[in-house]
Amino acid sequence: MRTTTSTVPAGDVMPAGRDVTADRTGGAKAPRGPRRGIGGWQTNLAALVFLLPALVLFGYFSWWPILSSVILGFQQTNLVEPAIWVGWENFQRLFADPVLPIAVRNTLWFAALSLAIGFPVPVLLAVFMSEVRRFGGLFRVLVYLPVVVPPVVSVLLWKWFYNPDAGLFNQVLGLVGLGPFPWLQDSGWAMPSLVLEATWAGAGGAVLIYLAALSGVSTELYEAAEIDGASVWRRVWHVMLPQIRGVLLLMLLLQVIGVFQVFTEPFVMTDGGPSNATVTVLLLIYRYAFLFGDYGTAAALSVLLALVLAVLSAIYLRLTKRWGSQ
Amino acid sequence: MTVLRRGLIACGLALALGVSTAACGSNGDPPSTSDQTDGQVTISVMGLPPATNAESRQAFLDQVAAFEKANPDIKIKPSDAPWDVKTFAAKMAGGRAETVLKIPLTEPPGLIERKQVADITVEAKKLPEFASFDPKVMEILSSEGKVYGLPESIYALGLVYNRKLFTQAGLDPDDPPDTWEEFRHAADQIAEKTGKIGYGALTTNNSGGWHLTAMTYANGGTMQDLVDGKPTATFNNAPTLEALKLLHDMRFVDDSMGTQQLRKGEDASPAFAAGEIGMWINAPQAYNSYITLFKGDPADFGAASLPQGGGDGTLAGGTVLMVTAKASDAERAAAVKWIEYSSILPSYDTAAAVTVAKARAADKLPVGVPVLPVFDQATVDKVDAAIKPYVNVPTEQFAPYVERTKDLAFVPEPAIAAQDLYAALDPVVQAVLTNKDADPAALLAAAEDQVNAILRRQ
């Protein structure tokens, strides 16, 4: 799994794109489905038959395991012996764990830093790349390149960059008299260091989406602004950004949902250290399940996280719907 | 709960964690760890060395071929997946574990309690060498009179050090530190005179808690005890506190531990072989990977007993072999046969010991690294004498370990939830090594509460 600070899986972005396109048809009502009446049920049946494999696959591999996980949250099991129903006991145990508030705080801190660093960087890069006249293709390749590097590889690479003694960053910064900095070795530095890596690794995808949005901005608006004597900054601020406001907000929401599930970076780079400074909610779920063998409590925490993400998703859907109807 | 449901729940958890479902069995029946066709039984076994360790891997495969030749009705499927604290529980729960499990001594109590390993009493008691096993070891591998595993090797933690750095630092490599004061002084000297890391502490993947436990034992403390018949954490005590203060002062007062503090064994081994670390806590068996995997210089390797702080003890652990509970009767019998052939006979039978030693020596693999005996002294003496012509390790460099460790008490790892206890102590060790103002007493108190909560659930 890859959790990024600045992009979202393409599968999550495309539906929003389709909503926007639908809006551009003039806000007309969606075309009606097959007419009911004679032959209607046969059509529905045929559709159902076509849908059946997908429904079975989704049901078996996705919905049923999710439902099972919810049930598991109320059980005690080692997945070997029969499960015992324990009611809210797993949740009580969870709230008694002193590491949970630390993990929640760390996750929120990661989310805040990701929004502060990981959100504006791709926007600025996209604006810059849309303004440059030459080497645009090269810049796109360079920016997107980290996205194609396998996540664990890029995290391990950055782990070496962050080595306080022989790492690339301290070596380079040392040349100009800066550092050495503790990076991952200090409780205060560790989380921002993870966010930097995540931003580098994930910015490429978001930049491409912003570039696509920027390409849809009418050139006439720029020309009009230029004729009125607007500077580059004013054109960006008053013309460009308002035109892609919808995409910006969507990306922001999707990023929030994504960063709440941060796992790879702390798991590979710090193992939650130093001194629990980078333990996140998902890493805690992992520890419960696969380190302590407490699958019930792991599932209980998964359920709680899913509820939080469901609320965020509801906000996302509500806003998407509102923008779609505007 | 059916096997199918368990598989689905495991997949569900994996989905919740964003892990690919590709690894999950989809036919409703977890893939068998072994199979049985036409009277031939096939078992999968852990222990195959990784491809990066070509000589050892080939020696293992040769052992497999010889076993299959001697037992035509048994087919062995070797696995090079090592035991990993982060994946083993999931592997067991998902039904993906091998038939023969090669695991640390911390795992048997939990596996036995969860009924994840097979009762091999009948097969084990038929072994002629069974009566010679050390009863203290067998106690850990047994429950309610039933035998669930057999020991492969037992170790006692000590100090592994770089003799060259000792010399460069003006220290005597033949007289390594006996006490924590001497240890601190040696680390300080190494850091000051050579610029290398005096002491490289392990802090992640539960190894921080593991080594803190060893230091506590050396200071005369305990980690866990029975209070009113219930297992209770006891590490919020003076011996553990002294160990933490020592680490803190070495890091922030002496500056003899370098700046990189998030380290596990896989990070320390190559750094030690490359001469970047002066000392670290380990057993002499570290010599094997030091030579074969990281190409360290044999002349630089030194092994000493664990420095002491009044406890006259060290942590004893080991590797044991168990059989998955999913094994059929035939598979279980084949598994015990393989365990005896591959792991027990080379420590018991002189002919088998000589065969293995000869092959290892021919492949330039270490022979003669000191280990704690799993059998009685008469058996050990007999085997040692037989393999003496093939010993190729610098035994005099292990002498400080051998001579001093025999006088120490071998304290076993915490009996209940040892890995959970270690996991809770990792952040404590990390805190004192990364935060100058860390309060070890408060950290220990919080960790003890956390571990007691875990122990209450056992």
Side-chain angles (χ1 to χ4, degrees), chain A residues 1 60-61 64-65 72 79-80 93 164-165 184-185 271 273-276 286 290 292 295, chain B residues 4 6 8-9 12 15 17-18 86 89-90 93 205 259-262 430-431 434 457:
Chain A
M1 180 190 60
Y60 189 79
F61 287 110
W64 172 241
L72 193 60
L79 302 183
V80 176
R93 184 177 305 149
D165 301 315
L184 304 172
Q185 309 299 318
D271 196 27
S275 192
N276 286 334
Y286 173 87
F290 301 125
F292 305 143
Y295 300 99
Chain B
L4 172 61
R6 286 200 300 273
L8 283 171
I9 290 169
L15 272 176
L17 291 167
K86 289 184 174 175
N205 239 22
T259 50
Q260 159 82 346
Q261 300 304 339
L262 295 182
Q430 290 167 11
T434 58
R457 298 203 299 268

mmCIF file of all heavy atoms in Angstrom, chain A residues 1 60-61 64-65 72 79-80 93 164-165 184-185 271 273-276 286 290 292 295, chain B residues 4 6 8-9 12 15 17-18 86 89-90 93 205 259-262 430-431 434 457:
data_model
loop_
_atom_site.group_PDB
_atom_site.id
_atom_site.type_symbol
_atom_site.label_atom_id
_atom_site.label_comp_id
_atom_site.label_asym_id
_atom_site.label_seq_id
_atom_site.Cartn_x
_atom_site.Cartn_y
_atom_site.Cartn_z
ATOM 1 N N MET A 1 0.839 -1.177 0.000
ATOM 2 C CA MET A 1 0.000 0.000 0.000
ATOM 3 C C MET A 1 0.877 1.231 0.000
ATOM 4 O O MET A 1 1.906 1.260 0.617
ATOM 5 C CB MET A 1 -0.860 -0.007 1.254
ATOM 6 C CG MET A 1 -1.750 1.179 1.324
ATOM 7 S SD MET A 1 -2.507 1.250 2.941
ATOM 8 C CE MET A 1 -1.079 1.379 3.934
ATOM 9 N N TYR A 60 -17.273 -11.285 -2.452
ATOM 10 C CA TYR A 60 -16.437 -12.301 -1.818
ATOM 11 C C TYR A 60 -15.125 -11.719 -1.315
ATOM 12 O O TYR A 60 -14.662 -12.022 -0.217
ATOM 13 C CB TYR A 60 -16.172 -13.428 -2.820
ATOM 14 C CG TYR A 60 -15.494 -14.633 -2.217
ATOM 15 C CD1 TYR A 60 -16.225 -15.569 -1.482
ATOM 16 C CD2 TYR A 60 -14.135 -14.840 -2.363
ATOM 17 C CE1 TYR A 60 -15.610 -16.675 -0.913
ATOM 18 C CE2 TYR A 60 -13.511 -15.943 -1.803
ATOM 19 C CZ TYR A 60 -14.257 -16.852 -1.086
ATOM 20 O OH TYR A 60 -13.638 -17.940 -0.519
ATOM 21 N N PHE A 61 -14.505 -10.905 -2.172
ATOM 22 C CA PHE A 61 -13.154 -10.431 -1.839
ATOM 23 C C PHE A 61 -13.132 -9.070 -1.147
ATOM 24 O O PHE A 61 -12.108 -8.672 -0.622
ATOM 25 C CB PHE A 61 -12.292 -10.354 -3.106
ATOM 26 C CG PHE A 61 -11.891 -11.701 -3.629
ATOM 27 C CD1 PHE A 61 -12.419 -12.192 -4.803
ATOM 28 C CD2 PHE A 61 -10.994 -12.486 -2.913
ATOM 29 C CE1 PHE A 61 -12.059 -13.437 -5.278
ATOM 30 C CE2 PHE A 61 -10.632 -13.739 -3.379
ATOM 31 C CZ PHE A 61 -11.168 -14.211 -4.562
ATOM 32 N N TRP A 64 -17.606 -8.846 1.934
ATOM 33 C CA TRP A 64 -17.718 -9.837 3.004
ATOM 34 C C TRP A 64 -16.528 -9.765 3.968
ATOM 35 O O TRP A 64 -16.711 -9.772 5.187
ATOM 36 C CB TRP A 64 -17.906 -11.238 2.414
ATOM 37 C CG TRP A 64 -17.833 -12.333 3.435
ATOM 38 C CD1 TRP A 64 -16.956 -13.361 3.493
ATOM 39 C CD2 TRP A 64 -18.672 -12.497 4.580
ATOM 40 N NE1 TRP A 64 -17.170 -14.147 4.581
ATOM 41 C CE2 TRP A 64 -18.228 -13.645 5.277
ATOM 42 C CE3 TRP A 64 -19.758 -11.772 5.109
ATOM 43 C CZ2 TRP A 64 -18.821 -14.085 6.449
ATOM 44 C CZ3 TRP A 64 -20.343 -12.220 6.287
ATOM 45 C CH2 TRP A 64 -19.885 -13.362 6.934
ATOM 46 N N PRO A 65 -15.274 -9.673 3.464
ATOM 47 C CA PRO A 65 -14.153 -9.502 4.412
ATOM 48 C C PRO A 65 -14.282 -8.240 5.254
ATOM 49 O O PRO A 65 -13.936 -8.252 6.445
ATOM 50 C CB PRO A 65 -12.921 -9.413 3.496
ATOM 51 C CG PRO A 65 -13.317 -10.143 2.276
ATOM 52 C CD PRO A 65 -14.768 -9.870 2.098
ATOM 53 N N LEU A 72 -15.349 -9.122 13.624
ATOM 54 C CA LEU A 72 -14.133 -9.487 14.358
ATOM 55 C C LEU A 72 -13.801 -8.474 15.447
ATOM 56 O O LEU A 72 -13.225 -8.830 16.479
ATOM 57 C CB LEU A 72 -12.968 -9.581 13.359
ATOM 58 C CG LEU A 72 -11.664 -10.238 13.821
ATOM 59 C CD1 LEU A 72 -11.923 -11.672 14.243
ATOM 60 C CD2 LEU A 72 -10.649 -10.205 12.697
ATOM 61 N N LEU A 79 -7.540 -16.732 15.178
ATOM 62 C CA LEU A 79 -7.790 -17.251 13.832
ATOM 63 C C LEU A 79 -7.489 -18.750 13.729
ATOM 64 O O LEU A 79 -7.387 -19.287 12.647
ATOM 65 C CB LEU A 79 -6.989 -16.486 12.772
ATOM 66 C CG LEU A 79 -7.231 -14.977 12.704
ATOM 67 C CD1 LEU A 79 -6.437 -14.366 11.569
ATOM 68 C CD2 LEU A 79 -8.708 -14.655 12.526
ATOM 69 N N VAL A 80 -7.344 -19.401 14.877
ATOM 70 C CA VAL A 80 -7.109 -20.840 14.875
ATOM 71 C C VAL A 80 -8.267 -21.523 15.612
ATOM 72 O O VAL A 80 -8.949 -22.378 15.069
ATOM 73 C CB VAL A 80 -5.767 -21.199 15.544
ATOM 74 C CG1 VAL A 80 -5.591 -22.715 15.619
ATOM 75 C CG2 VAL A 80 -4.617 -20.570 14.789
ATOM 76 N N ARG A 93 -10.356 -2.122 25.731
ATOM 77 C CA ARG A 93 -8.926 -2.383 25.783
ATOM 78 C C ARG A 93 -8.172 -1.345 24.958
ATOM 79 O O ARG A 93 -7.137 -0.835 25.339
ATOM 80 C CB ARG A 93 -8.671 -3.779 25.218
ATOM 81 C CG ARG A 93 -7.243 -4.236 25.285
ATOM 82 C CD ARG A 93 -7.151 -5.643 24.761
ATOM 83 N NE ARG A 93 -8.063 -6.533 25.460
ATOM 84 C CZ ARG A 93 -8.651 -7.603 24.920
ATOM 85 N NH1 ARG A 93 -8.428 -7.888 23.665
ATOM 86 N NH2 ARG A 93 -9.437 -8.357 25.608
ATOM 87 N N PRO A 164 22.296 9.979 9.691
ATOM 88 C CA PRO A 164 22.911 11.186 10.263
ATOM 89 C C PRO A 164 24.413 11.269 10.039
ATOM 90 O O PRO A 164 24.986 12.361 10.034
ATOM 91 C CB PRO A 164 22.587 11.074 11.752
ATOM 92 C CG PRO A 164 22.296 9.637 11.977
ATOM 93 C CD PRO A 164 21.735 9.097 10.716
ATOM 94 N N ASP A 165 25.052 10.107 9.846
ATOM 95 C CA ASP A 165 26.512 10.132 9.695
ATOM 96 C C ASP A 165 26.930 10.192 8.221
ATOM 97 O O ASP A 165 27.660 11.088 7.817
ATOM 98 C CB ASP A 165 27.124 8.880 10.346
ATOM 99 C CG ASP A 165 26.767 8.804 11.818
ATOM 100 O OD1 ASP A 165 26.871 9.839 12.490
ATOM 101 O OD2 ASP A 165 26.369 7.724 12.284
ATOM 102 N N LEU A 184 15.774 11.374 11.242
ATOM 103 C CA LEU A 184 14.895 10.365 11.843
ATOM 104 C C LEU A 184 15.267 10.033 13.290
ATOM 105 O O LEU A 184 14.557 9.286 13.958
ATOM 106 C CB LEU A 184 14.938 9.067 11.023
ATOM 107 C CG LEU A 184 14.587 9.178 9.550
ATOM 108 C CD1 LEU A 184 14.873 7.870 8.842
ATOM 109 C CD2 LEU A 184 13.122 9.577 9.375
ATOM 110 N N GLN A 185 16.377 10.564 13.770
ATOM 111 C CA GLN A 185 16.892 10.167 15.080
ATOM 112 C C GLN A 185 16.346 11.004 16.232
ATOM 113 O O GLN A 185 16.735 10.809 17.373
ATOM 114 C CB GLN A 185 18.424 10.251 15.080
ATOM 115 C CG GLN A 185 19.092 9.541 13.936
ATOM 116 C CD GLN A 185 18.785 8.053 13.926
ATOM 117 O OE1 GLN A 185 18.785 7.424 14.963
ATOM 118 N NE2 GLN A 185 18.498 7.501 12.750
ATOM 119 N N ASP A 271 9.961 2.296 12.053
ATOM 120 C CA ASP A 271 9.272 1.303 12.890
ATOM 121 C C ASP A 271 8.527 1.989 14.044
ATOM 122 O O ASP A 271 8.454 1.478 15.153
ATOM 123 C CB ASP A 271 10.279 0.273 13.427
ATOM 124 C CG ASP A 271 9.580 -0.972 13.960
ATOM 125 O OD1 ASP A 271 8.474 -1.277 13.487
ATOM 126 O OD2 ASP A 271 10.129 -1.620 14.864
ATOM 127 N N GLY A 273 9.428 4.634 15.640
ATOM 128 C CA GLY A 273 10.324 5.361 16.550
ATOM 129 C C GLY A 273 10.694 6.725 16.018
ATOM 130 O O GLY A 273 10.204 7.121 14.965
ATOM 131 N N PRO A 274 11.535 7.476 16.682
ATOM 132 C CA PRO A 274 12.056 7.112 17.988
ATOM 133 C C PRO A 274 11.045 7.390 19.096
ATOM 134 O O PRO A 274 10.376 8.411 19.072
ATOM 135 C CB PRO A 274 13.280 8.037 18.133
ATOM 136 C CG PRO A 274 13.017 9.186 17.242
ATOM 137 C CD PRO A 274 12.163 8.687 16.136
ATOM 138 N N SER A 275 10.978 6.452 20.000
ATOM 139 C CA SER A 275 10.121 6.577 21.168
ATOM 140 C C SER A 275 8.672 6.877 20.791
ATOM 141 O O SER A 275 8.071 7.820 21.305
ATOM 142 C CB SER A 275 10.671 7.672 22.088
ATOM 143 O OG SER A 275 10.029 7.633 23.317
ATOM 144 N N ASN A 276 8.135 6.088 19.871
ATOM 145 C CA ASN A 276 6.732 6.187 19.431
ATOM 146 C C ASN A 276 6.405 7.507 18.725
ATOM 147 O O ASN A 276 5.226 7.829 18.548
ATOM 148 C CB ASN A 276 5.764 6.003 20.596
ATOM 149 C CG ASN A 276 5.679 4.552 21.034
ATOM 150 O OD1 ASN A 276 5.929 3.651 20.230
ATOM 151 N ND2 ASN A 276 5.344 4.315 22.284
ATOM 152 N N TYR A 286 -1.588 -2.586 12.648
ATOM 153 C CA TYR A 286 -0.675 -3.636 12.207
ATOM 154 C C TYR A 286 -0.036 -4.336 13.413
ATOM 155 O O TYR A 286 0.039 -5.561 13.467
ATOM 156 C CB TYR A 286 0.405 -3.028 11.308
ATOM 157 C CG TYR A 286 1.485 -4.007 10.930
ATOM 158 C CD1 TYR A 286 1.338 -4.839 9.820
ATOM 159 C CD2 TYR A 286 2.628 -4.141 11.705
ATOM 160 C CE1 TYR A 286 2.315 -5.762 9.496
ATOM 161 C CE2 TYR A 286 3.605 -5.056 11.388
ATOM 162 C CZ TYR A 286 3.449 -5.862 10.283
ATOM 163 O OH TYR A 286 4.418 -6.780 9.973
ATOM 164 N N PHE A 290 -0.498 -8.223 13.835
ATOM 165 C CA PHE A 290 0.571 -9.108 13.383
ATOM 166 C C PHE A 290 1.774 -9.161 14.316
ATOM 167 O O PHE A 290 2.669 -9.960 14.102
ATOM 168 C CB PHE A 290 0.999 -8.693 11.970
ATOM 169 C CG PHE A 290 -0.140 -8.762 10.990
ATOM 170 C CD1 PHE A 290 -0.508 -7.673 10.235
ATOM 171 C CD2 PHE A 290 -0.869 -9.929 10.861
ATOM 172 C CE1 PHE A 290 -1.574 -7.740 9.351
ATOM 173 C CE2 PHE A 290 -1.935 -10.009 9.990
ATOM 174 C CZ PHE A 290 -2.292 -8.907 9.229
ATOM 175 N N PHE A 292 1.191 -8.585 18.010
ATOM 176 C CA PHE A 292 0.650 -9.097 19.261
ATOM 177 C C PHE A 292 -0.362 -10.231 19.035
ATOM 178 O O PHE A 292 -0.805 -10.847 19.995
ATOM 179 C CB PHE A 292 -0.030 -7.973 20.059
ATOM 180 C CG PHE A 292 0.859 -6.783 20.315
ATOM 181 C CD1 PHE A 292 0.351 -5.497 20.301
ATOM 182 C CD2 PHE A 292 2.210 -6.953 20.557
ATOM 183 C CE1 PHE A 292 1.172 -4.392 20.531
ATOM 184 C CE2 PHE A 292 3.038 -5.867 20.782
ATOM 185 C CZ PHE A 292 2.530 -4.582 20.774
ATOM 186 N N TYR A 295 -6.110 -9.961 16.995
ATOM 187 C CA TYR A 295 -6.849 -9.579 15.786
ATOM 188 C C TYR A 295 -8.142 -8.830 16.098
ATOM 189 O O TYR A 295 -8.573 -7.986 15.330
ATOM 190 C CB TYR A 295 -7.140 -10.827 14.940
ATOM 191 C CG TYR A 295 -5.874 -11.533 14.513
ATOM 192 C CD1 TYR A 295 -5.418 -12.656 15.193
ATOM 193 C CD2 TYR A 295 -5.112 -11.052 13.456
ATOM 194 C CE1 TYR A 295 -4.226 -13.280 14.828
ATOM 195 C CE2 TYR A 295 -3.931 -11.680 13.087
ATOM 196 C CZ TYR A 295 -3.500 -12.783 13.778
ATOM 197 O OH TYR A 295 -2.323 -13.386 13.416
ATOM 198 N N LEU B 4 -12.575 -21.619 6.019
ATOM 199 C CA LEU B 4 -12.923 -20.641 4.979
ATOM 200 C C LEU B 4 -13.118 -19.258 5.587
ATOM 201 O O LEU B 4 -12.593 -18.266 5.100
ATOM 202 C CB LEU B 4 -14.205 -21.102 4.285
ATOM 203 C CG LEU B 4 -14.833 -20.128 3.300
ATOM 204 C CD1 LEU B 4 -13.843 -19.852 2.173
ATOM 205 C CD2 LEU B 4 -16.127 -20.678 2.744
ATOM 206 N N ARG B 6 -11.977 -18.130 8.416
ATOM 207 C CA ARG B 6 -10.709 -17.590 8.926
ATOM 208 C C ARG B 6 -9.901 -16.976 7.798
ATOM 209 O O ARG B 6 -9.330 -15.909 7.936
ATOM 210 C CB ARG B 6 -9.913 -18.691 9.611
ATOM 211 C CG ARG B 6 -10.466 -19.080 10.954
ATOM 212 C CD ARG B 6 -9.408 -19.791 11.768
ATOM 213 N NE ARG B 6 -8.914 -20.999 11.130
ATOM 214 C CZ ARG B 6 -9.484 -22.198 11.272
ATOM 215 N NH1 ARG B 6 -10.554 -22.327 12.004
ATOM 216 N NH2 ARG B 6 -8.962 -23.242 10.681
ATOM 217 N N LEU B 8 -11.065 -15.753 5.055
ATOM 218 C CA LEU B 8 -11.705 -14.508 4.631
ATOM 219 C C LEU B 8 -11.383 -13.369 5.590
ATOM 220 O O LEU B 8 -11.106 -12.252 5.173
ATOM 221 C CB LEU B 8 -13.213 -14.710 4.576
ATOM 222 C CG LEU B 8 -13.726 -15.482 3.364
ATOM 223 C CD1 LEU B 8 -15.187 -15.808 3.536
ATOM 224 C CD2 LEU B 8 -13.491 -14.683 2.090
ATOM 225 N N ILE B 9 -11.397 -13.685 6.878
ATOM 226 C CA ILE B 9 -11.121 -12.639 7.864
ATOM 227 C C ILE B 9 -9.679 -12.169 7.738
ATOM 228 O O ILE B 9 -9.393 -10.980 7.797
ATOM 229 C CB ILE B 9 -11.441 -13.141 9.283
ATOM 230 C CG1 ILE B 9 -12.956 -13.289 9.421
ATOM 231 C CG2 ILE B 9 -10.922 -12.183 10.336
ATOM 232 C CD1 ILE B 9 -13.406 -14.003 10.656
ATOM 233 N N GLY B 12 -9.651 -9.975 4.938
ATOM 234 C CA GLY B 12 -10.287 -8.711 5.296
ATOM 235 C C GLY B 12 -9.349 -7.792 6.037
ATOM 236 O O GLY B 12 -9.274 -6.610 5.757
ATOM 237 N N LEU B 15 -6.985 -6.460 3.693
ATOM 238 C CA LEU B 15 -7.584 -5.390 2.889
ATOM 239 C C LEU B 15 -7.627 -4.091 3.671
ATOM 240 O O LEU B 15 -7.313 -3.022 3.169
ATOM 241 C CB LEU B 15 -9.016 -5.782 2.505
ATOM 242 C CG LEU B 15 -9.179 -6.591 1.232
ATOM 243 C CD1 LEU B 15 -10.634 -6.967 1.069
ATOM 244 C CD2 LEU B 15 -8.697 -5.809 0.028
ATOM 245 N N LEU B 17 -5.697 -3.132 5.812
ATOM 246 C CA LEU B 17 -4.355 -2.581 5.906
ATOM 247 C C LEU B 17 -3.811 -2.228 4.534
ATOM 248 O O LEU B 17 -2.681 -1.774 4.405
ATOM 249 C CB LEU B 17 -3.419 -3.591 6.570
ATOM 250 C CG LEU B 17 -3.694 -3.833 8.036
ATOM 251 C CD1 LEU B 17 -2.955 -5.043 8.526
ATOM 252 C CD2 LEU B 17 -3.297 -2.616 8.843
ATOM 253 N N GLY B 18 -4.597 -2.473 3.520
ATOM 254 C CA GLY B 18 -4.166 -2.092 2.193
ATOM 255 C C GLY B 18 -3.193 -3.080 1.587
ATOM 256 O O GLY B 18 -2.488 -2.766 0.647
ATOM 257 N N LYS B 86 7.584 -9.672 12.615
ATOM 258 C CA LYS B 86 6.482 -8.897 12.056
ATOM 259 C C LYS B 86 5.566 -9.711 11.155
ATOM 260 O O LYS B 86 4.477 -9.275 10.844
ATOM 261 C CB LYS B 86 7.041 -7.715 11.258
ATOM 262 C CG LYS B 86 7.660 -6.652 12.139
ATOM 263 C CD LYS B 86 8.093 -5.489 11.318
ATOM 264 C CE LYS B 86 8.565 -4.370 12.218
ATOM 265 N NZ LYS B 86 9.097 -3.251 11.479
ATOM 266 N N ALA B 89 3.264 -14.219 12.898
ATOM 267 C CA ALA B 89 1.905 -14.425 13.418
ATOM 268 C C ALA B 89 0.888 -14.459 12.275
ATOM 269 O O ALA B 89 -0.016 -15.297 12.250
ATOM 270 C CB ALA B 89 1.550 -13.338 14.412
ATOM 271 N N ALA B 90 1.078 -13.552 11.316
ATOM 272 C CA ALA B 90 0.155 -13.505 10.176
ATOM 273 C C ALA B 90 0.297 -14.764 9.329
ATOM 274 O O ALA B 90 -0.693 -15.327 8.848
ATOM 275 C CB ALA B 90 0.447 -12.279 9.331
ATOM 276 N N ALA B 93 -1.425 -17.546 11.191
ATOM 277 C CA ALA B 93 -2.877 -17.362 11.175
ATOM 278 C C ALA B 93 -3.453 -17.625 9.795
ATOM 279 O O ALA B 93 -4.554 -18.143 9.655
ATOM 280 C CB ALA B 93 -3.221 -15.952 11.630
ATOM 281 N N ASN B 205 12.478 -3.301 16.056
ATOM 282 C CA ASN B 205 12.096 -4.696 15.781
ATOM 283 C C ASN B 205 12.156 -5.562 17.035
ATOM 284 O O ASN B 205 12.511 -6.733 16.972
ATOM 285 C CB ASN B 205 13.024 -5.287 14.713
ATOM 286 C CG ASN B 205 12.252 -5.739 13.508
ATOM 287 O OD1 ASN B 205 11.134 -5.284 13.273
ATOM 288 N ND2 ASN B 205 12.828 -6.619 12.729
ATOM 289 N N THR B 259 25.421 8.772 16.196
ATOM 290 C CA THR B 259 24.183 9.553 16.131
ATOM 291 C C THR B 259 23.007 8.740 15.607
ATOM 292 O O THR B 259 21.858 9.094 15.801
ATOM 293 C CB THR B 259 24.376 10.770 15.213
ATOM 294 O OG1 THR B 259 24.952 10.316 13.987
ATOM 295 C CG2 THR B 259 25.289 11.797 15.842
ATOM 296 N N GLN B 260 23.308 7.638 14.927
ATOM 297 C CA GLN B 260 22.252 6.781 14.375
ATOM 298 C C GLN B 260 21.771 5.848 15.474
ATOM 299 O O GLN B 260 22.533 4.984 15.922
ATOM 300 C CB GLN B 260 22.833 6.009 13.181
ATOM 301 C CG GLN B 260 22.105 4.768 12.784
ATOM 302 C CD GLN B 260 20.904 5.046 11.915
ATOM 303 O OE1 GLN B 260 20.453 6.174 11.803
ATOM 304 N NE2 GLN B 260 20.373 4.029 11.312
ATOM 305 N N GLN B 261 20.519 5.997 15.901
ATOM 306 C CA GLN B 261 20.044 5.177 17.020
ATOM 307 C C GLN B 261 18.886 4.252 16.666
ATOM 308 O O GLN B 261 18.498 3.436 17.488
ATOM 309 C CB GLN B 261 19.649 6.073 18.205
ATOM 310 C CG GLN B 261 20.772 6.936 18.741
ATOM 311 C CD GLN B 261 22.010 6.146 19.151
ATOM 312 O OE1 GLN B 261 21.942 4.954 19.401
ATOM 313 N NE2 GLN B 261 23.158 6.801 19.175
ATOM 314 N N LEU B 262 18.305 4.385 15.484
ATOM 315 C CA LEU B 262 17.243 3.449 15.091
ATOM 316 C C LEU B 262 17.919 2.314 14.332
ATOM 317 O O LEU B 262 18.223 2.443 13.151
ATOM 318 C CB LEU B 262 16.197 4.144 14.220
ATOM 319 C CG LEU B 262 15.390 5.246 14.907
ATOM 320 C CD1 LEU B 262 14.366 5.831 13.965
ATOM 321 C CD2 LEU B 262 14.706 4.731 16.164
ATOM 322 N N GLN B 430 14.716 3.691 22.882
ATOM 323 C CA GLN B 430 14.863 4.753 21.875
ATOM 324 C C GLN B 430 14.821 6.138 22.529
ATOM 325 O O GLN B 430 15.577 7.035 22.155
ATOM 326 C CB GLN B 430 13.758 4.646 20.825
ATOM 327 C CG GLN B 430 13.886 3.438 19.919
ATOM 328 C CD GLN B 430 12.637 3.186 19.109
ATOM 329 O OE1 GLN B 430 11.732 4.013 19.059
ATOM 330 N NE2 GLN B 430 12.563 2.030 18.478
ATOM 331 N N ALA B 431 13.939 6.276 23.511
ATOM 332 C CA ALA B 431 13.790 7.589 24.159
ATOM 333 C C ALA B 431 15.082 8.009 24.854
ATOM 334 O O ALA B 431 15.527 9.145 24.711
ATOM 335 C CB ALA B 431 12.631 7.550 25.156
ATOM 336 N N THR B 434 17.681 9.064 22.256
ATOM 337 C CA THR B 434 17.420 10.172 21.322
ATOM 338 C C THR B 434 16.975 11.455 22.015
ATOM 339 O O THR B 434 16.953 12.508 21.399
ATOM 340 C CB THR B 434 16.333 9.779 20.294
ATOM 341 O OG1 THR B 434 15.148 9.413 20.993
ATOM 342 C CG2 THR B 434 16.773 8.627 19.409
ATOM 343 N N ARG B 457 -4.346 -10.100 29.785
ATOM 344 C CA ARG B 457 -5.174 -10.713 28.732
ATOM 345 C C ARG B 457 -4.717 -12.126 28.384
ATOM 346 O O ARG B 457 -5.376 -12.822 27.626
ATOM 347 C CB ARG B 457 -5.105 -9.854 27.464
ATOM 348 C CG ARG B 457 -5.645 -8.465 27.619
ATOM 349 C CD ARG B 457 -6.053 -7.899 26.265
ATOM 350 N NE ARG B 457 -4.942 -7.807 25.348
ATOM 351 C CZ ARG B 457 -4.172 -6.723 25.214
ATOM 352 N NH1 ARG B 457 -4.410 -5.670 25.945
ATOM 353 N NH2 ARG B 457 -3.194 -6.693 24.342
#
